[in-house]
Amino acid sequence: DNVEWSEEQEASARSKVQENSSQLLPQDKQEEYEVNAKRYWNDFYKIHENGFFKDRHWLFTEFPELAPNRNPGQNGDSAPGFGNKEESDKGGLGSCENGHCSLETRAENQLNLLKDTPEICTEEGTAQKDTELSQSGGDYPGSSASYRILEVGCGAGNTVFPILQTNNDPGLFVYCCDFSTTAVDLVQNNAEYDSARCFAFVHDLCNDQSPFPMPDESLDVVILIFVLSAILPEKMQGIVTRLSRLLKPGGVILLRDYGRYDLAQLRFKKGQCLSDNFYVRGDGTRVYFFTQDELDDLFTTAGLEKIQNLVDRRLQVNRGKQMTMYRVWIQCKYCRPAAPHL
């Protein structure tokens, strides 16, 4: 856990990235991947449905905001943040298939990176929790809830359903959206989907005219888990700024995403690079690999304040294949200030 890299290892990773970035895809091919992005993600979910990613019970270790009233006996407590559904994930190492690396591993589930993290903004968030939105005008899904969560890029529901199962707050309402209509269909047709507590909808983050079903300043939490990295880099700032407006004062954005020199980045071959640290997978979906500074700049430019921004470097060993795999993820928490600074 939290493996420190040697200078030699980092130099080797940098060299691999320089090599696989030396040949960019032609501009017309890049435009084709942007135009057809929805089709590629729809195809991904048609093939994998909900079988590729495991339910993310590590969420509640990493992001306790998602289950503030968690029932101690729920979902098993044999290990912190570890649920029975995740006990086996292709040998316990996670899988990499066509450039998609699943993350639900035993080591991942037992993370506890937040134990020393200062919790600022939480009091303001609690103060806002019971504020009704009658002044925002009109009725909307979840308008009577006291604690609202939005997950952007919900996929097949591997984050949404653990939240609904684990968070027993009667005032909870969870929104979830995805670019892929196939993914949203999978969520809505899941036996666990409860329209009294959840609202799933199709949404194109890159279209700033695409409306959200809730008004600005209505959300306590926005979740971005391996989502921002799939967006064209030049569109990221507008998306983060727009999402930040949905937060109540004191509300937080929670992010976990790919870090620079992650195994998935080093595995790309020459000819799959779109631009610096941005690649296309074999199935047409795309992925960006972040630094902490890049994410900090995106969130602070949107007017948010840092609670947490850390790199998690992890060594995974497959003894059967005698392979070592170095994963690099970045985890962030940024909150909307309770009042504008003078």
Side-chain angles (χ1 to χ4, degrees), residues 80-91:
F82 186 71
N84 294 334
K85 291 185 181 179
E86 297 171 317
E87 200 155 339
S88 171
D89 183 24
K90 300 198 179 179

Side-chain angles (χ1 to χ4, degrees), residues 25-322:
L25 264 73
Q27 190 59 37
D28 60 332
K29 287 293 291 180
Q30 297 207 29
E31 289 171 5
E32 180 187 323
Y33 286 119
E34 174 68 8
V35 169
N36 294 315
K38 178 175 282 194
R39 176 167 65 84
Y40 290 125
W41 279 110
N42 275 334
D43 288 347
F44 174 84
Y45 286 108
K46 282 174 185 172
I47 293 166
H48 297 287
E49 294 189 340
N50 59 355
F52 185 77
F53 301 106
K54 304 296 182 185
D55 287 348
R56 294 160 170 164
H57 292 275
W58 52 265
L59 280 170
F60 312 114
T61 307
E62 297 304 305
F63 300 130
E65 298 87 347
L66 300 179
N69 294 323
R70 189 180 183 187
N71 210 334
Q74 278 183 281
N75 289 325
D77 287 312
S78 57
F82 186 71
N84 294 334
K85 291 185 181 179
E86 297 171 317
E87 200 155 339
S88 171
D89 183 24
K90 300 198 179 179
L93 274 174
S95 61
C96 283
E97 183 176 331
N98 203 9
H100 294 272
C101 292
S102 74
L103 304 164
E104 286 60 40
T105 66
R106 181 176 293 271
E108 179 76 356
N109 294 326
Q110 293 177 329
L111 284 172
N112 191 8
L113 300 175
L114 298 184
K115 58 186 177 185
D116 297 318
T117 304
E119 289 292 340
I120 60 173
C121 297
T122 50
E123 289 182 11
E124 293 89 341
T126 303
Q128 287 288 327
K129 179 176 174 181
D130 298 317
T131 302
E132 290 302 319
L133 289 165
S134 54
Q135 71 274 19
S136 298
D139 197 19
Y140 58 93
S143 59
S144 62
S146 57
Y147 197 80
R148 300 181 191 88
I149 295 172
L150 165 66
E151 188 195 9
V152 179
C154 61
N158 305 91
T159 296
V160 168
F161 293 121
I163 292 172
L164 291 172
Q165 292 159 4
T166 305
N167 190 328
N168 60 346
D169 182 351
L172 172 72
F173 196 88
V174 180
Y175 306 90
C176 58
C177 64
D178 203 282
F179 191 34
S180 165
T181 52
T182 306
V184 173
D185 285 344
L186 286 168
V187 171
Q188 292 177 337
N189 292 321
N190 190 300
E192 298 283 341
Y193 185 72
D194 179 359
S195 59
R197 303 181 71 215
C198 184
F199 182 72
F201 59 101
V202 177
H203 186 85
D204 182 357
L205 277 177
C206 295
N207 177 3
D208 58 11
Q209 301 304 309
S210 182
F212 284 101
M214 77 293 289
D216 287 352
E217 298 192 21
S218 62
L219 298 177
D220 295 274
V221 180
V222 171
I223 309 168
L224 292 167
I225 296 181
F226 300 98
V227 171
L228 205 56
S229 54
I231 302 293
L232 201 64
E234 50 263 41
K235 295 185 177 181
M236 291 178 185
Q237 185 62 68
I239 288 166
V240 171
T241 299
R242 191 167 178 229
L243 289 173
S244 72
R245 295 193 195 112
L246 296 174
L247 290 173
K248 298 176 184 178
V252 294
I253 288 184
L254 309 176
L255 174 139
R256 191 162 174 83
D257 219 320
Y258 294 103
R260 190 70 46 86
Y261 307 143
D262 177 61
L263 165 75
Q265 183 177 17
L266 305 186
R267 282 186 169 180
F268 279 107
K269 306 300 182 190
K270 197 181 292 187
Q272 291 180 273
C273 189
L274 301 165
S275 60
D276 287 348
N277 305 296
F278 191 46
Y279 300 82
V280 61
R281 301 181 178 99
D283 61 5
T285 62
R286 296 167 298 172
V287 59
Y288 187 84
F289 297 87
F290 291 100
T291 65
Q292 288 172 281
D293 288 345
E294 286 171 341
L295 286 165
D296 187 68
D297 190 51
L298 286 172
F299 288 122
T300 55
T301 299
L304 303 180
E305 295 180 347
K306 181 173 75 174
I307 302 174
Q308 180 191 65
N309 182 327
L310 56 83
V311 177
D312 176 27
R313 290 185 174 88
R314 193 161 295 278
L315 170 62
Q316 296 176 345
V317 180
N318 186 326
R319 292 181 176 84
K321 294 183 180 178
Q322 295 187 318

